[in-house]
Amino acid sequence: MYLDNLVGVFGHPVAENPTCVMQDAAFDHLGIRWKYLTIEVLPDDLEAAIRGMRAMNMRGINLTIPHKVAVIPFLDEVAEDAKLIGAVNTVRRDGDRLIGENTDGKGFLRSLREDAGVDPAGAHVVVMGAGGASRAICVELANAGVASIALCNRSAERGEQLAGHLNAHTRARTTFHRWDAPLTIADEVTIVVNATSIGLYPDVDECPLVNLDSIHDGQVVCDVIPNPPDTAFLKQARARGAKTLDGLGMLVYQGAIGFRMWTGQDAPVSVMRSALEKAFA
Ligand code: NDP
């Protein structure tokens, strides 16, 4: 079969990566002859793989573990927010040039605005976790004008490093909190984000260490976990009157933003979301 355009993902291990399900569903829905390939690339082969995608005129590529940072030297340009995040999850083509982008935090922000109806400008925010997902979310929240970020992490080194980075390069006032006891959410906080891997399948009963009774209505509680989307943490938050936002929205929108970068067309987000829901079920 001849295809007009190829995109895909490089990772290792990558077999379980769900993105092809939603991107191919979007291509089929719009009736365009594009294909998303899930490609196992070993760390030592990344440079050759990027040369290969250039040679095959692929329109773009996603990067997942362990390539999000390692890919940077092989690109022609990196977008400003991806530079600040320090990682690239999406490569798009501009003519012959390969441009590195990071759509994870943008996907979170779009989900926050469109699904939860919340504008984060001026908000006081709590973010749990200081890994890649947290970094992308914090940078985009800071770019969106939040007033403050209380960053909580189990290991001090990663948390302090990220808080220092955000204070040096963004206007959001970021404080680091060592997270070794149940976290009480301050009253002024309106957005709470679990950006750790706690709650990810199969550990579906796990909940971040939070004093749940400090959650109340007027807050939006968000989780990055896409599978299962309705985590134990979100259920507990909803039971206390908070609005909740699941990680499936972030996953869909980060893909939808990449889809638009590659194809120039608006992505059919509801088609992409139901394709993923089916795959996870
Ligand atoms: P990392 O490995 O980079 O970071 C994991 C973070 O979780 C660290 O801050 C780690 O703390 C913390 N953590 C893990 N287990 C515990 C625990 N038991 N108690 C306290 N803290 C813990 O992972 P990522 O940031 O890349 O990914 C995190 C989650 O985000 C994953 O589940 C991933 O599936 C999800 N994700 C979702 C996306 C989406 O689109 N919905 C996009 C990207 C990621 P420490 O530093 O102390 O180890």
Side-chain angles (χ1 to χ4, degrees), residues 122-158:
H124 297 284
V125 182
V126 165
V127 178
M128 290 167 265
S134 167
R135 215 176 158 88
I137 287 170
C138 287
V139 164
E140 298 297 348
L141 282 172
N143 285 345
V146 297
S148 74
I149 300 174
L151 185 69
C152 309
N153 201 50
R154 178 179 57 181
S155 66
E157 200 184 334
R158 258 220 280 200

Side-chain angles (χ1 to χ4, degrees), residues 87-156:
V88 162
N89 77 335
T90 302
V91 172
R92 65 180 172 88
R93 260 188 121 102
D94 181 7
D96 285 341
R97 294 171 60 72
L98 297 183
I99 320 284
E101 302 270 0
N102 195 309
T103 64
D104 281 337
K106 289 188 177 78
F108 171 80
L109 218 61
R110 187 163 158 195
S111 184
L112 186 65
R113 289 193 168 118
E114 294 190 16
D115 297 336
V118 170
D119 177 0
H124 297 284
V125 182
V126 165
V127 178
M128 290 167 265
S134 167
R135 215 176 158 88
I137 287 170
C138 287
V139 164
E140 298 297 348
L141 282 172
N143 285 345
V146 297
S148 74
I149 300 174
L151 185 69
C152 309
N153 201 50
R154 178 179 57 181
S155 66

Side-chain angles (χ1 to χ4, degrees), residues 179-233:
W179 189 24
D180 50 10
L183 174 70
T184 295
I185 311 291
D187 262 350
E188 61 176 4
V189 169
T190 52
I191 302 173
V192 178
V193 186
N194 173 35
T196 74
S197 39
I198 299 168
L200 187 65
Y201 180 86
D203 300 318
V204 297
D205 294 328
E206 278 189 23
C207 207
L209 203 56
V210 172
N211 175 4
L212 292 166
D213 289 328
S214 63
I215 293 175
H216 51 74
D217 60 1
Q219 293 172 330
V220 56
V221 174
C222 317
D223 210 318
V224 295
I225 301 297
N227 184 27
D230 200 22
T231 58
F233 183 47

Side-chain angles (χ1 to χ4, degrees), residues 20 33 42 52 62 71 83 93 99 112 140 144 166 178 197 208 226 260 267:
C20 67
R33 289 194 308 175
L42 294 173
N62 285 137
V71 73
K83 265 188 215 158
R93 260 188 121 102
I99 320 284
L112 186 65
E140 298 297 348
L166 292 167
R178 180 82 192 270
S197 39
R260 170 139 198 114

